Amino acid sequence: MNLAVKWKITRIMLTSVYLFAGWMLFTGSLNPFSMVMGLFFSILTALLTYSLFIDEKEAERRGLVFNIHILVFYLLFLLFKMYASSFAVLYNVIRGNINPRVVHFRTRLKSDIARVILTNSITLTPGTITLSLDDDHLIVHWLEAKTTHSRYAGELIKGKMEKILKRIFV
Amino acid sequence: MTEWIVFAFLILGAVFNLMGLLGVLIFPDPYTRLQASSTCSTTSVMSVFIAAMIDSGISAVTGKILVITLFFFISSPVSAHIIALYAWKNEIIPWRRKGGQE
């Protein structure tokens, strides 16, 4: 059994595990018939669509199986940050005093999914929208720009989010 | 006590929604309008979801709302990003404050 086949089987199994977790969350019952049904259909769906869920080149060490307990903390942190910056945007809307600029910076994250999560978090936080993500280069539209210097702007926008994400996807 | 927290979150959601719409009317160009509307859509909808979660207590309904919230966490930024990317690819120049720092 060569490496490609092994990786294929791993991808199918991981996809079906994720799908089954989703099934359990939606049905919320421990009825054996429903569980067997869910298992069957998640394996069937995984067989059909594993190449869409997990790309063949996406084989980082912690890219797919990550530290879930830090991810929960990260979501709570994101919620807090969202409310904090949302009040800032509210204040700016009332005063009508905005200073929008486009800033460019780079990220140190390696895996694709971590980069996508970072981009999504930046867009989710009010006041910043990611215009483009090209490999590790981000272009961000910033509503209340304090600086246009690439490194400081990056530190102010992604700062702590990147540090936590680095610990999730090692 | 729980009712008051739910009330507070719902009112917060309404206020954010109103201010987001106000921002869409006030702001000068597509990017800043998108900022205002994404603020309105994320924070106000999230407040309503949190209110619903607190109201329903610990039950299966809360889990379902949690799943919807997670989907929202993924889908809302992606839609905002797609609109912004389209504007950026069409080379719409962002508005800039006169006399701001260079």
Side-chain angles (χ1 to χ4, degrees):
Chain A
M1 189 186 280
N2 61 0
L3 206 62
V5 177
K6 266 187 200 167
W7 176 228
K8 208 174 194 176
I9 290 167
T10 316
R11 275 153 79 202
I12 292 171
M13 276 173 66
L14 267 176
T15 312
S16 53
V17 164
Y18 285 141
L19 285 172
F20 188 63
W23 171 275
M24 288 309 291
L25 215 56
F26 265 115
T27 57
S29 72
L30 292 171
N31 183 9
F33 175 70
S34 118
M35 278 175 79
V36 169
M37 252 343 228
L39 198 63
F40 173 71
F41 276 108
S42 53
I43 289 171
L44 191 73
T45 316
L47 277 173
L48 290 171
T49 60
Y50 67 95
S51 59
L52 292 175
F53 274 107
I54 301 169
D55 200 58
E56 198 172 357
K57 297 186 184 86
E58 199 176 313
E60 288 89 8
R61 192 161 63 92
R62 279 287 200 171
L64 299 167
V65 184
F66 39 84
N67 299 327
I68 285 181
H69 53 289
I70 309 178
L71 190 68
V72 171
F73 169 73
Y74 177 73
L75 286 178
L76 289 175
F77 171 75
L78 197 64
L79 203 67
F80 167 74
K81 197 161 170 160
M82 206 177 80
Y83 271 100
S85 56
S86 180
F87 277 108
V89 170
L90 204 69
Y91 185 61
N92 286 330
V93 169
I94 292 167
R95 283 180 66 211
N97 179 22
I98 50 170
N99 180 25
R101 296 301 288 263
V102 175
V103 292
H104 300 240
F105 55 85
R106 285 179 186 282
T107 175
R108 287 192 211 90
L109 296 169
K110 294 285 186 297
S111 88
D112 275 356
I113 188 157
R115 280 175 187 165
V116 168
I117 288 177
L118 178 72
T119 318
N120 249 1
S121 324
I122 287 172
T123 312
L124 192 70
T125 335
T128 46
I129 284 185
T130 318
L131 297 176
S132 158
L133 166 69
D134 183 12
D135 206 11
D136 69 338
H137 179 218
L138 285 124
I139 306 175
V140 172
H141 185 267
W142 195 3
L143 192 63
E144 187 60 26
K146 293 184 184 67
T147 170
T148 48
H149 188 281
S150 164
R151 194 159 155 202
Y152 296 135
E155 203 58 40
L156 282 172
I157 290 173
K158 67 189 176 176
K160 205 156 185 190
M161 292 197 279
E162 191 183 46
K163 269 174 207 151
I164 301 172
L165 276 175
K166 237 180 176 175
R167 288 177 62 196
I168 298 172
F169 304 94
V170 178
Chain B
M1 185 60 198
T2 321
E3 284 179 356
W4 287 105
I5 299 171
V6 172
F7 278 149
F9 270 108
L10 284 177
I11 286 170
L12 209 63
V15 167
F16 277 126
N17 212 335
L18 201 67
M19 285 302 154
L21 289 173
L22 193 66
V24 171
L25 291 175
I26 287 173
F27 282 169
D29 78 327
Y31 299 102
T32 43
R33 281 181 189 169
L34 195 60
Q35 297 267 20
S37 85
S38 85
T39 303
C40 128
S41 73
T42 51
T43 315
S44 70
V45 173
M46 203 58 74
S47 303
V48 173
F49 280 154
I50 290 170
M53 264 193 272
I54 293 169
D55 191 39
S56 60
I58 298 169
S59 64
V61 180
T62 313
K64 279 167 197 168
I65 297 170
L66 197 67
V67 173
I68 296 169
T69 314
L70 285 177
F71 276 134
F72 186 76
F73 255 95
I74 298 166
S75 71
S76 162
V78 167
S79 67
H81 166 70
I82 292 294
I83 297 169
L85 182 67
Y86 187 73
W88 183 249
K89 284 270 160 73
N90 278 333
E91 297 175 0
I92 295 173
I93 298 165
W95 180 84
R96 210 190 258 189
R97 192 172 68 178
K98 285 201 181 80
Q101 55 172 343
E102 278 302 313

